[in-house]
Amino acid sequence: MSEPFYRRVGDTAFEPTQATESPWDQSLQHGGPPSALLLGEIEKVTAGHGRIASAQIDFLGVIPRKTGTVEVRTLRPGRRVRLDAATLTIDGKVAAEARCWTIATNPGAEKQVEHRTVALPAIPDAAPDLSLIH
């Protein structure tokens, strides 16, 4: 069994494991694990409100391989569209922040989507004569 990226050591505190280690520096984290941590914490808050439609993650410098805290807050509440953010703070400094737009879905909406395939147009036999273009 593989090692988790983080161990929860408090309500909002997470300790990174060796699995988060950057390939360039053992004292730093690779960007993937903090991204997953922040998005996962947002998903917990938005569960039942819809689907995440867009996510943005900003790294505000290197991310030390030290225990950090995650704070999730709603920036724009709404019934149909909402914006949430999660911040990873390490040693009193914001190391990374994620923002996600969530769009409300109707129960069973996935079943209502009709999927159709459309044939692509044929590829022309010859390339255009570009010598006529000045």
Side-chain angles (χ1 to χ4, degrees):
M1 183 181 236
S2 60
E3 181 178 38
F5 289 128
Y6 297 94
R7 289 189 185 85
R8 187 180 289 268
V9 294
D11 289 341
T12 62
F14 296 87
E15 177 184 45
T17 65
Q18 188 174 1
T20 66
E21 185 177 295
S22 166
W24 299 280
D25 188 331
Q26 293 178 359
S27 68
L28 302 176
Q29 294 183 52
H30 183 274
S35 299
L37 174 65
L38 293 173
L39 294 177
E41 292 301 296
I42 290 174
E43 283 181 323
K44 289 176 187 174
V45 170
T46 62
H49 293 283
R51 292 178 181 238
I52 291 178
S54 174
Q56 172 185 332
I57 299 143
D58 294 312
F59 299 105
L60 306 174
V62 297
I63 302 176
R65 206 160 56 95
K66 296 179 178 181
T67 300
T69 58
V70 175
E71 175 193 359
V72 180
R73 61 204 183 284
T74 300
L75 302 177
R76 184 204 181 272
R79 288 183 305 150
R80 297 182 55 71
V81 178
R82 64 185 277 163
L83 176 62
D84 295 279
T87 305
L88 172 62
T89 303
I90 300 174
D91 289 339
K93 295 180 182 178
V94 175
E97 181 172 78
R99 290 177 180 232
C100 293
W101 285 99
T102 302
I103 298 176
T105 56
N106 296 328
E110 304 83 20
K111 296 176 188 171
Q112 298 171 6
V113 175
E114 179 183 332
H115 296 280
R116 296 181 297 154
T117 57
V118 178
L120 295 174
I123 298 174
D125 290 334
D129 184 2
L130 299 178
S131 65
L132 301 175
I133 300 174
H134 297 290

